[in-house]
């Protein structure tokens, strides 16, 4: 069990490391004619800062990619070398100065209808843990103290995050088991509602958290798990902040006022975050960064539909898993925000239209 003090310390560590990196990298290209050419002095300063305060990435889908590409067979990849088909590998984690990594345990929301969510989640826990224990570069962390110790030893601290409350299948016992396996946050929903909480991208049914949902949040507080309120509806965000006794996180969300995507965070919720002590980790995915992205995607769909009509075919080409990553700068004076992981290493299930 992690005390409230350690909860706050761990959350603050996330914020400090990301803001330090932000300050250092914000000037990259600013004084150069080529905006993509980094200033060597700023890079050196950034690396020095990140040696002191570990950069903590709160969301990485590599375990799912292992499952999707090779059914969890880790021997198919030499992770000590760059793996272009995967969203991360040891060299790129090192190049990005990642000090601590939350690996995402994810299965589709639809598995709750077939009652296979828990089973599939355990398969992802298995592949994530096997990867963490497969070499000397990584080490599992269970506390904030572990993160600091592992970082100082020159290794990458690894934690687990469960992306979707559907995976506990309404069982507090499953939640406690996930914690024993190393989960240190759980995203309350994914794209679809769960029996006890509304998602941002589904029709509201609960108007936030049910009483059982509030008990789930309190149990996460007791265990020492962050309640992650990315993906949830605005009402679920507010209910969670109203009931939690510990800081929350948004593992990968942006500001609704800048881009009115339902997955983004409304201003009134952002104003609640400083009192809570939590952190909003932002991402670079186009749909959540620019309001122009929706218009672009609609034009793209229309063009593809028209092309199919002209060609007289209904065949579908598999959608690309990843979209080009974009460089982004955040005002270093904005509090309770941090760089989110999807922005750095790629994302799978966020990059496709959930209604497709």
């Amino acid at each position: 069990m992690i005390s409230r003090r350690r909860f706050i310390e761990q959350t603050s560590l996330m914020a400090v490391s990301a803001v330090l990196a932000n300050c250092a990298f914000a000037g990259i290209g600013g004084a150069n004619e080529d905006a993509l050419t980094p200033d060597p002095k700023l890079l050196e300063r950034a690396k020095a800062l990140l040696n002191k305060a570990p950069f903590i990435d709160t969301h990485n889908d590599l375990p799912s990619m292992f499952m999707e590409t090779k059914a969890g067979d880790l021997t198919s990849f030499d992770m000590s070398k760059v793996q272009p088909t995967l969203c991360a590998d040891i060299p790129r984690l090192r190049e990005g100065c990642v000090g601590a990594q939350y690996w995402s345990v994810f299965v589709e929301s639809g598995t709750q209808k077939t009652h296979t969510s828990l089973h599939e989640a355990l398969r992802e826990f298995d592949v994530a843990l096997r990867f963490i224990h497969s070499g000397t570069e990584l080490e599992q962390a269970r506390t904030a103290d572990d993160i600091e110790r592992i970082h100082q030893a020159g290794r990458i601290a690894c934690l687990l995050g469960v992306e979707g409350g559907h995976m506990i299948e309404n069982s507090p016992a499953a939640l406690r088991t996930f914690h024993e396996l190393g989960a240190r946050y759980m995203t309350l929903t994914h794209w679809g509602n769960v029996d006890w909480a509304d998602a941002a991208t589904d029709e509201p049914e609960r108007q936030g958290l049910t009483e059982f949902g509030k008990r789930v949040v309190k149990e996460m507080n007791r265990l020492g798990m962050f309640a992650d309120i990315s993906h949830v509806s605005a009402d679920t965000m507010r209910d969670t902040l109203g009931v939690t006794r510990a800081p929350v996180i948004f593992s990968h969300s942006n500001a609704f006022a800048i881009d009115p995507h339902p997955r983004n965070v409304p201003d009134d919720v952002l104003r609640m975050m400083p009192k809570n002590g939590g952190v909003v980790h932002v991402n670079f995915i186009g749909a959540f960064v620019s309001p122009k992205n929706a218009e672009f995607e609609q034009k793209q769909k229309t063009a593809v539909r028209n092309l199919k009509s002209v060609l007289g075919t209904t065949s579908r080409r598999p959608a690309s898993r990843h979209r080009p990553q974009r460089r982004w700068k955040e005002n270093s004076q904005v509090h309770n925000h941090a760089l989110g992981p999807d922005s750095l290493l790629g994302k799978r299930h966020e990059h496709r239209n959930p209604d497709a």
Side-chain angles (χ1 to χ4, degrees):
M1 179 176 177
I2 303 175
S3 67
R4 177 178 173 82
R5 178 182 66 83
R6 294 305 289 150
F7 247 74
I8 294 172
E9 288 175 1
Q10 187 169 340
T11 314
S12 299
L13 191 60
M14 290 183 188
V16 168
S17 62
V19 170
L20 285 173
N22 227 7
C23 294
F25 282 99
I28 289 178
N32 298 333
E33 292 182 3
D34 181 0
L36 297 181
T37 302
D39 184 326
K41 291 183 178 179
L42 287 174
L43 281 176
E44 184 179 350
R45 178 170 179 261
K47 290 179 179 179
L49 289 169
L50 293 173
N51 280 332
K52 296 179 180 178
F55 186 92
I56 301 179
D57 182 336
T58 53
H59 196 85
N60 188 308
D61 280 306
L62 184 61
S64 293
M65 297 197 77
F66 284 140
M67 295 298 295
E68 290 177 348
T69 56
K70 295 294 182 180
D73 179 11
L74 299 179
T75 63
S76 300
F77 303 100
D78 181 355
M79 298 304 289
S80 68
K81 299 178 181 178
V82 173
Q83 297 294 324
T85 62
L86 300 178
C87 65
D89 46 57
I90 300 300
R92 285 184 289 171
L93 289 170
R94 290 301 194 186
E95 184 180 5
C97 298
V98 176
Q101 178 68 70
Y102 276 85
W103 302 106
S104 179
V105 173
F106 167 79
V107 301
E108 297 284 355
S109 297
T111 56
Q112 61 188 315
K113 297 178 181 178
T114 56
H115 304 289
T116 55
S117 300
L118 179 55
H119 176 269
E120 294 302 313
L122 290 175
R123 294 179 69 219
E124 286 235 356
F125 268 104
D126 171 64
V127 74
L129 290 169
R130 283 191 288 114
F131 171 56
I132 292 169
H133 300 314
S134 64
T136 59
E137 297 278 348
L138 310 176
E139 183 178 340
Q140 187 172 10
R142 293 178 174 271
T143 66
D145 287 338
D146 283 348
I147 293 174
E148 294 172 342
R149 174 183 56 78
I150 294 167
H151 178 67
Q152 290 170 4
R155 292 186 291 276
I156 299 170
C158 295
L159 305 99
L160 299 173
V162 177
E163 191 181 17
H166 57 285
M167 282 178 266
I168 67 170
E169 294 194 0
N170 298 334
S171 168
L175 177 68
R176 290 187 285 271
T177 299
F178 287 175
H179 177 264
E180 284 294 315
L181 290 172
R184 289 301 179 264
Y185 77 69
M186 184 174 73
T187 318
L188 301 188
T189 71
H190 194 250
W191 283 105
N193 298 337
V194 296
D195 290 339
W196 42 273
D198 283 339
T201 44
D202 203 349
E203 292 296 324
E205 296 177 318
R206 326 293 176 200
Q207 284 66 55
L209 287 175
T210 66
E211 288 304 313
F212 178 77
K214 293 175 182 178
R215 291 198 297 273
V216 169
V217 171
K218 291 178 181 178
E219 180 65 357
M220 293 172 71
N221 289 170
R222 188 190 70 80
L223 290 169
M225 293 177 67
F226 289 116
D228 173 22
I229 47 179
S230 284
H231 277 289
V232 307
S233 71
D235 282 338
T236 302
M237 296 175 193
R238 297 178 187 112
D239 283 353
T240 303
L241 285 163
V243 72
T244 185
R245 303 187 304 276
V248 303
I249 64 168
F250 286 86
S251 63
H252 54 305
S253 295
N254 291 14
F256 187 88
I258 295 175
D259 182 2
H261 189 287
R263 275 270 285 100
N264 285 339
V265 190
D267 277 357
D268 69 295
V269 175
L270 289 176
R271 284 190 288 268
M272 298 170 72
M273 292 296 287
K275 182 179 179 181
N276 169 263
V279 179
V280 180
H281 297 260
V282 300
N283 64 65
F284 295 156
I285 299 171
F288 309 129
V289 173
S290 171
K292 295 180 180 180
N293 188 78
E295 180 183 353
F296 170 79
E297 288 191 344
Q298 187 56 49
K299 289 180 179 179
Q300 186 182 50
K301 290 178 184 178
T302 300
V304 170
R305 194 160 47 242
N306 291 341
L307 183 61
K308 287 180 178 179
S309 177
V310 170
L311 296 176
T313 177
T314 58
S315 64
R316 294 187 63 185
R317 184 180 179 183
S320 173
R321 260 196 198 107
H322 299 287
R323 291 182 182 167
Q325 298 176 12
R326 302 187 181 193
R327 291 185 177 270
W328 177 86
K329 294 190 295 185
E330 174 65 272
N331 186 329
S332 62
Q333 296 181 1
V334 175
H335 299 289
N336 297 88
H337 285 71
L339 288 175
D342 285 353
S343 56
L344 301 179
L345 297 173
K347 179 80 170 163
R348 169 197 30 57
H349 46 280
E350 299 276 29
H351 285 182
R352 65 170 180 260
N353 181 348
D355 299 321

